[in-house]
Amino acid sequence: MGTLRAETVDTAELPPAERWPFWVDMSARVSAPIAFASDHAADFRGRARLVDLGGGIQLTRFRYQSLIGRRTPRLIRQADPEVYQIPLTVAGTSAISARRRDTAMGSGDFALIDWGRPHDIMHASRQHGREDAASATVVISRALLPLDADKVDRLSAVRISGTQGPGALLAQHLHRITRKPEQFRATDAPHLADVTLTLVSLLLARHLDAEAALPTEMRQQALLTQVRDFVERHLGDPDLSPQSVADAHHVALRTLHRLFADQDESVSGVIRRRRLERCRRDLADPLLRDQTVQAIGARWGFRDKTHFSRAFRAAYGTSPRAFRESRWQETGRPDRPTAGAAPQE
């Protein structure tokens, strides 16, 4: 079974004179033709990882030297791919001009670009060019968004935070896929595309105060994604429970359980599994060998060491201590703590 379809391109593999033309052509293939310019065009340094999820959704991770681009009416008449691009500035500073609006963006900011409308873009590196500019983007067919196109158009060149709310969820999603697409199977692409569409739609709808316009299934998928993210960020809280999750999202407990009814696990099952996986990871980490088993369990929300030991054994067929000792032996490290370390529980 193959991995997620991804393509990595790097201008360093080309002769200097071919690097800038190659980059311009590649960028046009990702979204649409644009008139680019760069002070580094004579020997351009750029790298991109393209991940095609299918169904009109593509993710790309870019790293490159400073550049500017202009999407002109003439270029639009030649080819309008009918797509939006939602770029996240990862490094450097960006700016976009569209709809008589000039917007500056820093690291962690999203913007909306309609490739069917004229716009200017700029992305500059920091530290006098010593650090490349970088971005992660979604290119998505306009027809996929379940939102009024005229309303979405109002968000062109608007700065949208990627550090809180739906923006933070979308940013995490982009980073996770574009950094290591090989961790996913090719058969994961449709699901990843659905999640991407949901997060983009939620992000734009939140800024338009139009969440009620989203389909019920999409709102449920968005809530499920938010709940999973909340659980992940609060695994170390011993009071994390289905009730606390429901309260944090202002829904009834029965609504939360209904949300997970079609999933492989209940919300309690997700909490338990992710806590145990974090404990297992830490128990296998030689840098943490001076920490007791009980301390590691407590770090991930297990108040009672007996309960932790039983849950770990039920999941992995061995006790936490036995698992840790077996990992030390496998890696050639001592099967006992170093001198002076606290005894294991």
Side-chain angles (χ1 to χ4, degrees):
M1 184 179 295
T3 58
L4 194 62
R5 185 170 61 179
E7 177 186 0
T8 299
V9 297
D10 192 338
T11 61
E13 300 173 356
L14 301 172
E18 297 179 16
R19 293 173 182 176
W20 178 246
F22 173 83
W23 188 264
V24 172
D25 289 344
M26 183 274 299
S27 298
R29 179 162 56 93
V30 170
S31 48
I34 185 170
F36 273 125
S38 174
D39 292 338
H40 309 280
D43 184 9
F44 189 74
R45 183 174 64 243
R47 179 181 173 87
R49 181 177 295 122
L50 297 79
V51 183
D52 188 357
L53 298 180
I57 299 177
Q58 181 172 274
L59 312 183
T60 309
R61 192 172 192 86
F62 292 108
R63 182 167 291 277
Y64 42 75
Q65 293 175 296
S66 300
L67 53 75
I68 58 175
R70 171 164 287 183
R71 178 81 168 146
T72 65
R74 181 178 65 83
L75 289 173
I76 293 170
R77 287 193 297 270
Q78 290 176 357
D80 179 5
E82 299 186 354
V83 298
Y84 293 117
Q85 186 171 24
I86 299 93
L88 171 70
T89 300
V90 175
T93 59
S94 304
I96 179 170
S97 298
R99 289 178 54 89
R100 300 180 181 178
R101 181 185 293 132
D102 300 321
T103 305
M105 294 166 291
S107 179
D109 290 335
F110 279 108
L112 174 73
I113 301 174
D114 185 344
W115 283 83
R117 290 186 174 275
H119 61 266
D120 294 337
I121 59 173
M122 180 279 295
H123 199 171
S125 56
R126 289 187 180 274
Q127 299 179 354
H128 306 289
R130 290 195 297 269
E131 179 187 31
D132 290 343
S135 63
T137 75
V138 181
V139 174
I140 187 168
S141 172
R142 290 200 295 256
L144 291 177
L145 289 179
L147 296 167
D148 184 275
D150 291 335
K151 292 182 178 179
V152 172
D153 191 48
R154 300 174 193 168
L155 296 178
S156 292
V158 170
R159 188 185 71 81
I160 302 173
S161 174
T163 59
Q164 57 186 1
L169 293 177
L170 179 58
Q172 292 164 13
H173 180 71
L174 281 180
H175 287 316
R176 184 181 176 213
I177 297 174
T178 60
R179 280 174 174 158
K180 292 185 176 180
E182 65 277 4
Q183 69 183 302
F184 299 99
R185 298 168 298 180
T187 53
D188 292 329
H191 172 70
L192 295 174
D194 287 344
V195 173
T196 304
L197 174 59
T198 294
L199 292 177
V200 169
S201 300
L202 178 63
L203 177 66
L204 302 182
R206 179 71 57 87
H207 280 264
L208 293 170
D209 195 23
E211 290 178 77
L214 297 178
T216 300
E217 182 177 345
M218 184 171 284
R219 294 201 302 272
Q220 291 177 337
Q221 176 64 52
L223 178 58
L224 182 63
T225 302
Q226 291 172 308
V227 165
R228 290 186 180 278
D229 176 70
F230 179 87
V231 167
E232 200 68 22
R233 289 185 289 107
H234 293 83
L235 289 172
D237 181 357
D239 293 322
L240 182 67
S241 67
Q243 186 63 64
S244 69
V245 172
D247 292 344
H249 292 84
H250 310 291
V251 298
L253 183 58
R254 63 179 178 277
T255 300
L256 180 67
H257 287 312
R258 204 161 45 237
L259 185 67
F260 278 78
D262 294 331
Q263 303 299 306
D264 293 335
E265 298 173 293
S266 65
V267 63
S268 297
V270 171
I271 293 171
R272 180 174 55 255
R273 175 178 59 81
R274 290 300 293 137
R275 280 175 167 166
L276 288 170
E277 288 174 348
R278 292 295 185 93
C279 291
R280 188 175 187 269
R281 181 198 65 185
D282 287 359
L283 288 167
D285 188 345
L287 298 178
L288 301 178
R289 63 182 180 269
D290 290 341
Q291 296 186 15
T292 66
V293 169
Q294 183 178 0
I296 289 174
R299 177 186 301 130
W300 296 112
F302 290 100
R303 281 195 179 101
D304 182 84
K305 64 179 182 181
T306 301
H307 171 65
F308 170 45
S309 183
R310 288 173 178 168
F312 194 95
R313 184 183 293 277
Y316 301 116
T318 186
S319 71
R321 180 175 182 177
F323 169 78
R324 168 179 264 187
E325 291 178 348
S326 68
R327 289 304 299 264
W328 286 350
Q329 291 167 355
E330 289 172 8
T331 57
R333 290 183 169 86
D335 60 359
R336 295 180 182 177
T338 56
Q344 297 303 313
E345 298 295 330

